[in-house]
Amino acid sequence: TLNGDYYGTYTGSDSGTFYVHLDSAGHASGSGQSGTFGISFIITGDATKEGFIQMSGTGIAGNARFNGQLNIKTGQVSGSWLAASIGSGTFSGQRE
């Protein structure tokens, strides 16, 4: 199962931490905290049964897009992010 709580970090043009809860329907919701800009933001998105996840930031991080892959066996998530006003980078995390 993919559902659960995921905690991780992101790096690149900005760096910080994130938390996402993935429910049994594949809907993701959570938050992020920018270490570079000192702001927090809301994250929402969806995951497929195959483990592909797409998320976006809202508010001040409204143009941030996260695309990644969840590993069903290990509970790891990793991918890349892009925000037009900030730049890009990678993210990784673990289901707890």
Side-chain angles (χ1 to χ4, degrees):
T1 180
L2 294 171
N3 61 309
D5 296 321
Y6 292 82
Y7 294 87
T9 58
Y10 66 94
T11 58
S13 305
D14 181 21
S15 61
T17 59
F18 69 89
Y19 154 76
V20 171
H21 175 76
L22 191 63
D23 68 20
S24 57
H27 302 304
S29 60
S31 62
Q33 178 70 39
S34 166
T36 304
F37 299 101
I39 58 161
S40 58
F41 55 94
I42 302 298
I43 299 171
T44 59
D46 291 284
T48 66
K49 293 175 184 172
E50 296 75 32
F52 181 68
I53 188 165
Q54 289 186 300
M55 301 179 292
S56 59
T58 61
I60 199 162
N63 65 357
R65 299 286 180 267
F66 296 81
N67 294 304
Q69 185 70 37
L70 298 159
N71 186 308
I72 298 170
K73 292 180 181 177
T74 65
Q76 291 181 314
V77 59
S78 61
S80 60
W81 66 270
L82 175 67
S85 61
I86 298 170
S88 61
T90 59
F91 70 93
S92 63
Q94 180 70 42
R95 186 177 64 231
E96 296 192 0

